[in-house]
Amino acid sequence: MASININQLGLTIGVFAALCHLVWLVAVAIGIQKFVDWILLLHSIQLNLTLTSVVILNAVLLIVIAFIGGYIFGWVFAAIWNWVGKKIR
């Protein structure tokens, strides 16, 4: 079982998570309320949600926290993968 570079996987998942949240922020900024309502209805969910305007500081914090969370997830996943791989050999 090949080992995984824990830092590389952490960075990869961190950047992916940050990009996903950046896409969400752009979608909110251009106004996707009706789309969100439609997607929820497809799932048989009706909530009284209102998307607010994007606050730059909150947007930056969201992206940073998404990156950090993604990095930690990727790092832990790779560390467990490598540990299990050593036990199997």
Side-chain angles (χ1 to χ4, degrees):
M1 203 152 109
S3 66
I4 298 173
N5 181 318
I6 58 177
N7 189 51
Q8 186 176 9
L9 186 62
L11 288 171
T12 301
I13 294 179
V15 168
F16 179 74
L19 284 173
C20 288
H21 285 80
L22 177 62
V23 168
W24 170 253
L25 287 166
V26 170
V28 169
I30 63 174
I32 62 159
Q33 181 71 51
K34 290 185 188 277
F35 179 72
V36 171
D37 292 341
W38 177 68
I39 293 295
L40 289 173
L41 281 175
L42 289 177
H43 291 85
S44 300
I45 299 171
Q46 185 174 6
L47 300 172
N48 293 325
L49 296 174
T50 303
L51 299 177
T52 61
S53 59
V54 175
V55 176
I56 296 300
L57 179 60
N58 290 346
V60 170
L61 285 173
L62 176 65
I63 292 170
V64 169
I65 291 169
F67 173 80
I68 292 169
Y71 181 88
I72 291 169
F73 177 82
W75 193 96
V76 169
F77 180 88
I80 293 169
W81 178 276
N82 292 340
W83 177 73
V84 168
K86 287 179 185 175
K87 297 289 183 185
I88 291 175
R89 290 182 200 160

